[in-house]
Amino acid sequence: MTIDSYANRFVCDLVAYEPGKPIDETARELGLDPSSIVKVASNENPLGPSPKAKAAMKLALDDAHIYPDGGGFRLRSAIAESVGLDRSNVVIGNGSNEIIELLCHTFLNGRTGLIAAEHAFVVYKLMATLFGANYIEVPDPGFVHDLDGMADAIDESTRLVFIANPNNPTGTMVDQAAIDRFMDRLPDHVIAVFDEAYIEFPENPPDTLRYVREGRNVCVLRTFSKLHGLAALRVGYGLAPAHIAELLQKARQPFNVNAIAQAGALAAINDREHMDRTIQVNREGMAFYEKELAARGLEFVPSFANFLLVKTGSGDRVFKEMLAQGVIVRAMSSYKLPDWIRISIGTPAQNQRCMEVLDSVLAASTTA
Ligand SMILES: *Cc1c(COP(=O)(O)O)cnc(C)c1O
């Protein structure tokens, strides 16, 4: 018997997360310059990092020999201030993905379960598998979370309900009335997790922080990876009533967010100009795609986020053929959407190029 057979069964069962194809790898394979590759595969900020964050991180390098502030005092204070909560309500993580893991560490085991929508962010399912928990998927007609159906699916063993809002990869959003109805039905043994990685993009997003303030069983997840353009740094956070936040704090590694990342995030949170510009570029890019896709009769899901789900047919093939021309989008077969691709909104030049390459790939497939 090899050592493999002694490995934790849940780890063996895991299907590794498949990230967007890296630019360097693509450039190497195609023999192209990395700067000529358009990556619109991971909902990153096409304007790059907040310039204020970049400056702060350069300064922070001088102290790279010192362990970070494990308690994240300054960053947690700044986050709390930005959302009108107390520092005791804030848990920072190595990406908001780590907060998802901390929630699972804290509340899941083999006798418990979690609930998510059928086309929800895939990390919830990976984590359920890792912790041996029962994963319940609730159908989402029209790609919109059915919160009533999700509340119906709750039973005695349920501990977490994940609501990605706006959701990735669908871009859809549930409204305040649906959330309020859901919260009215939430039993005491369940935590509602609102994953709000894209919450800054829609114009009138629902308010879930009121439930944190009221001390309800909620955790709101946010990230510096999207709006602030700091995906490489890995900083995200959870907002929860203090007693829940305290449990999550116990479950984390002592220095889970590095000092460079903390310095960058702290500067980014006050960089209103970069945030506004990002939102503006996203609005214009979204309008461009909506118009161009409609003109071609291509179906897409109206999106509240910084990406679009587009029905091209044969998503894997479209992905590969676009990749061969240096444009990286995301195939959606791992989300059980084999006919769809997901395109992140880029700069005007990237959007134009992506649309041209999509055109050429679709034209070739109709003549073939
Ligand atoms: C991108 C994304 C995140 C952010 O993950 P980080 O670990 O903070 O980079 C979280 N949830 C969803 C639904 C996302 O799409």
Side-chain angles (χ1 to χ4, degrees), residues 219-271:
C219 184
V220 177
L221 307 182
R222 296 197 177 165
T223 181
F224 286 89
S225 297
K226 309 287 158 60
L227 177 72
H228 301 285
L230 299 179
L233 272 293
R234 316 300 307 123
V235 203
Y237 52 98
L239 303 166
H243 66 103
I244 295 175
E246 209 170 299
L247 286 170
L248 301 180
Q249 295 285 14
K250 287 190 198 180
R252 69 177 175 82
Q253 291 276 331
F255 303 107
N256 62 330
V257 182
N258 74 70
I260 314 297
Q262 287 191 40
L266 189 59
I269 207 169
N270 293 313
D271 192 349

Side-chain angles (χ1 to χ4, degrees), residues 43 166-167 171-172 198 201-202 282 286 302-308 345:
N43 308 337
N167 182 43
T172 56
Y198 305 96
F201 291 101
N282 189 63
M286 190 65 81
S303 169
F304 290 90
N306 65 348
F307 55 83
L308 266 173
I345 308 301

Side-chain angles (χ1 to χ4, degrees), residues 44-215:
E44 290 141 340
N45 189 324
L47 300 180
S50 146
K52 289 193 174 143
K54 263 166 89 171
M57 290 190 287
K58 279 181 191 156
L59 282 178
L61 285 176
D62 287 340
D63 292 324
H65 59 301
I66 308 282
Y67 275 99
D69 174 6
F73 187 91
R74 291 182 65 200
L75 179 56
R76 284 171 56 228
S77 300
I79 290 167
E81 193 179 328
S82 75
V83 291
L85 289 167
D86 187 75
R87 190 174 55 247
S88 61
N89 300 122
V90 185
V91 186
I92 55 176
N94 194 256
S96 55
N97 268 276
E98 190 190 13
I99 311 291
I100 297 173
E101 187 170 351
L102 297 181
L103 282 161
C104 294
H105 260 304
T106 307
F107 293 103
L108 295 184
N109 58 45
R111 296 174 305 281
T112 58
L114 74 161
I115 294 172
E118 186 178 357
H119 297 101
F121 188 43
V122 74
V123 171
Y124 314 142
K125 187 192 264 179
L126 298 183
M127 287 298 140
T129 309
L130 188 58
F131 289 89
N134 185 29
Y135 183 75
I136 297 175
E137 234 171 47
V138 175
D140 49 4
F143 294 128
V144 183
H145 279 43
D146 169 15
L147 293 194
D148 298 319
M150 291 171 83
D152 291 340
I154 292 173
D155 65 20
E156 278 308 307
S157 72
T158 308
R159 291 295 173 271
L160 301 171
V161 180
F162 280 92
I163 298 161
N165 206 39
N167 182 43
N168 172 18
T170 60
T172 56
M173 185 166 77
V174 287
D175 63 18
Q176 190 75 53
I179 289 172
D180 291 346
R181 221 166 41 237
F182 177 83
M183 288 303 297
D184 281 345
R185 293 181 59 190
L186 191 73
D188 289 342
H189 64 279
V190 182
I191 294 186
V193 183
F194 293 97
D195 184 342
E196 300 187 339
Y198 305 96
I199 200 69
E200 302 92 348
F201 291 101
E203 245 159 299
N204 290 303
D207 169 32
T208 51
L209 297 181
R210 69 177 68 164
Y211 292 113
V212 178
R213 265 180 230 111
E214 288 171 9

Side-chain angles (χ1 to χ4, degrees), residues 6-29:
Y6 296 94
N8 183 328
R9 178 166 60 83
F10 303 134
V11 174
C12 298
D13 288 348
L14 211 57
V15 181
Y17 176 76
E18 208 180 306
K21 185 126 169 131
I23 289 178
D24 275 350
E25 187 183 316
T26 306
R28 214 161 41 238
E29 286 169 9

